Amino acid sequence: MIILFSVNLGWLPASGIGGIQYYILPALAGSSNAVSAQARQARSAMLEVIRSDYITTARSKGVSERNVIYRHALPNAIMPMITIAGTRFGHMLGGTLIMETIFGIPGVGSYIISAVNSRDYPVVQGGVIFLAIAFGFTMLLVDLLYAFIDPRIKAQYASQRQRGKRNA
């Protein structure tokens, strides 16, 4: 991407930090794999849900195609997409180490790489712990989104809360 967009075409800067144009190439390079995987997952999840019996039933009842997609198919197909998005975010966190080094962006990734090169083990350990905590919070957010989107999960937590009040 650097050779094409920076060297040959001269559209974007190859490295450094400055305005928004300096972040276009790193953002595209870091997210292209995740976006393509997310698109494949979304397509396969929607195709699987569209073939379900309740979608056929909703269409036979005369529900508009828009409502079939947005009210019946999408809520059921979005769960695996949220899971993939959360794990892909973790992969992108790991990829920032390389992206920041390649594109000359000062950040946690380039700081960890320079610490590895200078054998500064406490900094490497702290950076890895920081990235692990960030990934842990991302997965917590994914679980909270599950409870927000899926009414069955909400009902499960509500029934556990009711049991806890009765036992207390």
Side-chain angles (χ1 to χ4, degrees):
M1 291 180 81
I2 292 173
I3 291 172
L4 177 66
F5 293 114
S6 296
V7 177
N8 291 344
L9 298 173
W11 290 352
L12 297 167
S15 66
I17 189 166
I20 191 82
Q21 69 271 18
Y22 287 89
Y23 295 104
I24 295 173
L25 274 180
L28 287 175
S31 66
S32 60
N33 185 24
V35 168
S36 62
Q38 189 71 22
R40 283 193 311 269
Q41 178 64 34
R43 181 182 182 276
S44 65
M46 282 300 284
L47 286 175
E48 183 179 328
V49 169
I50 290 293
R51 295 183 186 125
S52 299
D53 291 337
Y54 66 92
I55 298 295
T56 307
T57 303
R59 285 182 175 145
S60 66
K61 287 182 177 181
V63 177
S64 69
E65 189 66 22
R66 180 183 171 138
N67 280 341
V68 167
I69 297 297
Y70 286 114
R71 298 186 114 192
H72 297 283
L74 188 61
N76 291 311
I78 203 165
M79 298 302 276
M81 291 190 290
I82 290 172
T83 304
I84 294 295
T87 56
R88 285 292 171 178
F89 181 76
H91 292 162
M92 287 193 305
L93 278 175
T96 59
L97 278 76
I98 306 302
M99 291 298 163
E100 288 178 0
T101 304
I102 290 172
F103 290 104
I105 298 170
V108 174
S110 59
Y111 185 57
I112 293 172
I113 294 293
S114 67
V116 167
N117 290 335
S118 64
R119 297 178 186 211
D120 190 0
Y121 297 120
V123 172
V124 173
Q125 289 173 341
V128 169
I129 289 171
F130 173 76
L131 292 175
I133 289 171
F135 183 69
F137 278 125
T138 302
M139 295 314 291
L140 175 66
L141 180 65
V142 166
D143 287 343
L144 293 174
L145 277 171
Y146 281 166
F148 180 73
I149 290 173
D150 194 355
R152 294 173 295 187
I153 296 174
K154 284 184 207 175
Q156 178 183 4
Y157 287 126
S159 67
Q160 287 177 357
R161 199 174 328 139
Q162 292 295 332
R163 272 190 259 139
K165 287 181 183 177
R166 276 186 263 147
N167 292 337

